[in-house]
Amino acid sequence: MSGRKRIQVDESEWFRTRRQAARLKDVQRALPGMLDDIRRQTHADLERVFGVVEDRQRTVEQAVQGLSERTRAMESRTQERLRAQARRTAEDLRATAGALRRETAEDLAERERRLQGEIDAERRQRRRDVGRLAEEVGEMIQDRERAAALAREAISDARAMHRLVHTAFPADVHPHARRTESLAEQLDRASDTLGQGRPDAALATAQIAYQQLSDLLQELERHDRERRRHRVRAGELLLHVQHLIKANAVQAAHEPEDEESADAVLDVEYWSGGELSRLRAETARLQERVGDEERPPDTGELRDILEHRVPELEQRLAETVERAGRRRLESQLRVNLADSVAGTLEEITGYELTDGTYSGEDQREAFFAKLVHRNGNEIVIEVAPAGTGSGASVLRVLSYDRDTTARDELTTRGHEVTRGLRARGIAASDPEAEDGEPDPAYQDFDTLRRALPRAATDT
């Protein structure tokens, strides 16, 4: 006859009534020193990132000074707008460092859009001016010397812009190589056309090439600033995640009675099974990627980090902390459950509780309690998690009887345990007899403290 009785215990209702006691503090809370560190790091990143932007702007300004007077005036206005916007962006990022608000990034993006709209409006006016100039050249075709001078000026401006694109953005221009090569060929054709005595056609070709090169320069500038802004922002948010991981690694724990003990702590790394370390390592890898200077991330990758990876890390951290707290409480509930069963058995059978331990003394594992009768019979109670995060337990009552115990007595014992649990508000299934006799290895609590014996791990 089987001395093994299995009872499925659903702790969900009991757990739900006590869950408020186990609710953890918001993982997003700010700690002293955290925001100061984020601000220092963000300011250092801004100095480094926007220092590169300022150096490039000086290079562009020098090149603009070498353009023709007509072209220089227009490009100078555009560059002044870009310089002012870069300064405002850096100032805004510096002022909002540590604020960590999504609205900040949206505000900056909206300002960039407004600036680009202003620049685009100026460029449309520039195209209209160029169109009028082309008409003037057509009218002054008799003044071939004047027409040729304008064409040479336009070709020179366009070649200067071609060099500037490659000088200011040596890496970013590579994806546009075919486009810039085609424009260089257009300028060669414009020079040939001018040599053939057709200044009007040469001027038109050079002006179109210049306009496309100028647009490309602004496109590269806009994308570069956007990438650098995202890079600073990503570094800031990832540093924030690292601080949150550190801040939530160990915190005060709440007992089931809703009383916080001064010496009770929740070790999230332990109770999460190492998930906190994995989150920390993943965040560190993203930080290294964002700071990679040899192969810097592009705008698309940075957007993915900002819009998906960082929120995902924060969500996983919150879930990890909540899960760790829940597992700790469930562990305590397993002890409470074993205590309830032991109390019931003491009342109905005359057994006395003599020992208790977690498997391997690991509180995340099954809890065992031993009861001994004066006649030498023993009962071992095993309360094991029914599954990860299920909030349920599997209870086994293992009877080791030196004398012959009737099947009816064992069955009655199982039903009494179930009734005792239900009387305490714990949802418990009817007991089921398992095949075979209980493994004697469960009686050796010294071994259980070291680890659950292989022969006793059948679940």
Side-chain angles (χ1 to χ4, degrees):
M1 72 185 63
S2 173
R4 305 200 309 178
K5 293 293 181 287
R6 174 191 179 104
I7 301 172
Q8 184 83 13
V9 180
D10 183 2
E11 295 176 341
S12 58
E13 290 301 323
W14 192 36
F15 181 68
R16 190 173 297 115
T17 63
R18 291 160 171 79
R19 190 163 185 175
Q20 186 63 37
R23 196 174 301 279
L24 302 173
K25 296 176 182 178
D26 184 5
V27 299
Q28 296 288 353
R29 70 192 188 282
L31 296 181
M34 181 179 77
L35 295 183
D36 288 342
D37 186 39
I38 291 175
R39 290 189 187 101
R40 283 193 298 271
Q41 185 61 53
T42 300
H43 291 171
D45 289 344
L46 286 170
E47 292 300 322
R48 175 176 51 81
V49 167
F50 282 89
V52 175
V53 174
E54 291 173 0
D55 290 342
R56 185 178 63 243
Q57 286 175 336
R58 283 191 287 271
T59 298
V60 173
E61 289 168 7
Q62 291 174 359
V64 166
Q65 293 306 309
L67 299 176
S68 64
E69 182 178 354
R70 186 190 301 268
T71 304
R72 183 170 64 246
M74 189 274 178
E75 291 295 341
S76 294
R77 288 196 302 271
T78 299
Q79 291 304 316
E80 179 55 38
R81 286 182 178 275
L82 290 172
R83 281 196 304 275
Q85 179 63 14
R87 286 194 296 269
R88 285 197 298 270
T89 298
E91 290 168 0
D92 288 341
L93 286 172
R94 189 175 290 108
T96 58
L100 306 169
R101 294 192 304 268
R102 183 180 181 86
E103 295 81 3
T104 300
E106 293 173 348
D107 289 345
L108 291 172
E110 178 57 30
R111 291 185 190 181
E112 288 280 352
R113 285 191 290 270
R114 288 200 299 269
L115 170 67
Q116 191 56 43
E118 294 171 0
I119 292 175
D120 289 343
E122 285 189 356
R123 304 198 80 77
R124 286 192 294 272
Q125 181 60 47
R126 166 68 186 274
R127 291 189 181 95
R128 289 191 289 269
D129 293 344
V130 167
R132 284 195 294 272
L133 178 60
E135 294 175 2
E136 293 174 9
V137 170
E139 295 171 357
M140 66 173 65
I141 194 65
Q142 300 303 321
D143 187 353
R144 303 186 66 82
E145 186 174 338
R146 173 61 177 155
L150 289 173
R152 284 193 296 271
E153 184 180 89
I155 293 171
S156 175
D157 286 346
R159 291 197 185 280
M161 185 59 69
H162 188 276
R163 289 192 299 271
L164 180 56
V165 165
H166 286 79
T167 301
F169 299 95
D172 294 346
V173 78
H174 289 318
H176 305 277
R178 182 173 298 180
R179 180 178 172 186
T180 56
E181 289 172 4
S182 174
L183 291 171
E185 292 172 358
Q186 288 185 38
L187 292 177
D188 290 339
R189 287 197 297 274
S191 295
D192 293 340
T193 302
L194 179 60
Q196 295 168 6
R198 298 171 53 199
D200 54 336
L203 177 62
T205 300
Q207 287 175 332
I208 292 172
Y210 176 88
Q211 193 64 56
Q212 292 185 28
L213 286 164
S214 182
D215 289 347
L216 176 58
L217 181 67
Q218 302 312 317
E219 179 183 338
L220 293 173
E221 176 73 32
R222 184 170 65 253
H223 288 169
D224 181 76
R225 282 207 322 275
E226 182 182 26
R227 181 173 64 244
R228 292 179 185 278
R229 189 179 71 246
H230 287 339
R231 203 170 180 185
V232 171
R233 188 74 176 160
E236 181 180 50
L237 294 181
L238 287 169
L239 182 60
H240 180 235
V241 172
Q242 287 288 27
H243 274 285
L244 291 178
I245 292 173
K246 181 179 180 181
N248 288 278
V250 177
Q251 53 187 250
H254 295 270
E255 301 303 330
E257 293 79 14
D258 200 19
E259 293 181 2
E260 186 174 318
S261 173
D263 58 355
V265 296
L266 174 66
D267 184 340
V268 177
E269 175 70 9
Y270 171 78
W271 288 104
S272 69
E275 177 62 19
L276 206 62
S277 288
R278 290 188 286 275
L279 279 171
R280 187 182 295 111
E282 186 173 341
T283 304
R285 285 194 294 272
L286 284 176
Q287 287 177 302
E288 291 177 4
R289 180 70 191 112
V290 169
D292 190 343
E293 295 295 345
E294 295 185 3
R295 192 174 58 88
D298 60 22
T299 303
E301 184 178 356
L302 290 168
R303 277 206 192 103
D304 180 63
I305 291 173
L306 285 168
E307 297 173 7
H308 300 104
R309 302 296 297 279
V310 168
E312 177 187 308
L313 287 170
E314 292 178 341
Q315 179 62 30
R316 283 171 55 193
L317 174 60
E319 292 171 355
T320 296
V321 173
E322 192 276 335
R323 187 163 50 248
R326 187 174 69 244
R327 287 176 178 172
R328 182 188 182 280
L329 182 59
E330 289 172 352
S331 174
Q332 181 61 51
L333 295 179
R334 289 197 291 276
V335 176
N336 294 351
L337 180 58
D339 182 66
S340 296
V341 174
T344 298
L345 290 173
E346 285 177 329
E347 291 173 4
I348 66 175
T349 64
Y351 281 74
E352 292 184 0
L353 180 67
T354 62
D355 205 350
T357 184
Y358 287 96
S359 174
E361 296 189 326
D362 187 336
Q363 297 177 52
R364 297 168 296 187
E365 301 297 334
F367 182 79
F368 295 87
K370 179 187 285 190
L371 295 95
V372 179
H373 196 276
R374 59 178 174 272
N375 65 9
N377 290 346
E378 296 181 356
I379 295 177
V380 173
I381 301 167
E382 176 193 7
V383 187
T388 303
S390 68
S393 297
V394 173
L395 166 65
R396 284 189 176 89
V397 180
L398 309 175
S399 298
Y400 300 89
D401 298 315
R402 294 178 182 273
D403 53 3
T404 302
T405 303
R407 179 186 298 272
D408 289 345
E409 183 177 337
L410 293 175
T411 301
T412 298
R413 183 181 297 172
H415 284 292
E416 288 292 340
V417 168
T418 298
R419 278 195 292 272
L421 293 175
R422 290 173 179 172
R424 292 172 171 82
I426 303 172
S429 68
D430 292 331
E432 300 176 7
E434 296 184 323
D435 295 334
E437 295 300 322
D439 195 316
Y442 281 87
Q443 293 176 274
D444 186 354
F445 269 50
D446 288 337
T447 299
L448 287 179
R449 286 186 178 88
R450 291 193 295 272
L452 190 64
R454 287 184 178 276
T457 57
D458 52 317
T459 59

